[in-house]
Amino acid sequence: TGSGGTFVNVTTNGNHIMFRAMPALANRSLTAEEALFYALVQNRLGCEISLLVRNGNAIYDIMEYHHQFRVKVMSAIKNRIALEVSSENHEGKLVLVNVDKNTLQMKNANLVVKIDGKIIKETTKPLEVLFAFGSGESDAVYTVLHNDEISQILIYVPSFSNHAIEIESVSFLANIFSPFGIAAVLSAFAIVCASAVVLVKKKL
């Protein structure tokens, strides 16, 4: 490598080969794509999954970047993906999931990511995930990187043994028409009606 050179990483996994190349940094700040490359070089990226759901069927390709790291697709339907990840190395790792808009709805929807059934926090700053650290449950975090038709969901899993990861896209309308959403709307309507009654009484 050099000031005008190129960083190259080639990872093999059985019959899979992952090739990544990126120009050298020189004296400038990291972009999300560059930081993702360095996370791979520094062994922070545990696995990468590219997954599509078509006509109820899941088509996916998995790249495990460490021989101690394992990932399984437990289920995958439109707007909901369930994974199982495990590692013999207990150090926190990153999980990268690539999906298209026909697999997970991103527009007019709320994305929910859970680890072992617990919702984890989201950040709009990818570098906070790429350089995340800590081994506590509260250290788990994710971000979404959008690139044309493809979205990349990057998740930091703080520590390892076996974990279940759930990724679900819930439309705003589904939230409104859920039991909790209907209850909230009815409560708001009741408050508005009560306020209207008070105003009428004052006018009288």
Side-chain angles (χ1 to χ4, degrees), residues 4 10 16 30 34-35 42 62-63 65 68 75 86 91 97 105 113 126 132 158 165 183 194:
V10 178
H16 294 75
L30 286 172
E34 291 166 343
Q42 295 168 5
I62 295 175
M63 192 71 190
Y65 292 114
Q68 310 103 321
S75 66
S86 62
E91 184 181 11
V97 183
Q105 180 183 355
V113 178
I165 296 178

Side-chain angles (χ1 to χ4, degrees), residues 16-191:
H16 294 75
I17 296 178
M18 176 66 73
F19 173 86
R20 292 178 185 268
M22 185 190 71
L25 286 180
N27 296 316
R28 55 193 175 87
S29 59
L30 286 172
T31 66
E33 189 65 28
E34 291 166 343
L36 181 59
F37 180 89
Y38 281 105
L40 174 60
V41 171
Q42 295 168 5
N43 295 320
R44 288 179 49 80
L45 189 59
C47 71
E48 182 172 352
I49 306 167
S50 297
L51 189 148
L52 302 176
V53 173
R54 293 292 185 274
N55 300 319
N57 297 315
I59 305 166
Y60 58 87
D61 184 68
I62 295 175
M63 192 71 190
E64 296 165 342
Y65 292 114
H66 301 272
H67 69 274
Q68 310 103 321
F69 197 98
R70 294 290 179 269
V71 58
K72 295 179 183 177
V73 177
M74 305 305 292
S75 66
I77 58 176
K78 186 175 176 62
N79 291 327
R80 189 179 184 279
I81 298 169
L83 310 172
E84 182 181 88
V85 292
S86 62
S87 178
E88 298 171 14
N89 185 339
H90 297 292
E91 184 181 11
K93 285 286 186 289
L94 298 167
V95 172
L96 180 63
V97 183
N98 304 310
V99 295
D100 70 347
K101 65 180 182 180
N102 294 316
T103 299
L104 279 180
Q105 180 183 355
M106 294 293 181
K107 188 177 181 180
N108 299 324
N110 180 37
L111 193 67
V112 176
V113 178
K114 299 179 183 178
I115 295 180
D116 298 332
K118 297 180 179 178
I119 297 176
I120 67 173
K121 61 189 175 185
E122 180 184 10
T123 178
T124 57
K125 299 176 181 178
L127 297 186
E128 288 185 5
V129 182
L130 287 161
F131 295 107
F133 63 93
S135 57
E137 290 182 354
S138 61
D139 296 315
V141 62
Y142 79 95
T143 193
V144 181
L145 309 173
H146 297 286
N147 182 14
D148 296 328
E149 300 292 309
I150 302 298
S151 293
Q152 295 179 296
I153 304 161
L154 185 65
I155 307 165
Y156 173 66
V157 183
S159 63
F160 269 94
S161 52
N162 284 33
H163 293 296
I165 296 178
E166 298 172 66
I167 305 170
E168 186 172 9
S169 175
V170 182
S171 70
F172 293 145
L173 287 177
N175 284 329
I176 292 173
F177 289 108
S178 69
F180 293 108
I182 292 173
V185 170
L186 290 176
S187 297
F189 181 72
I191 291 171

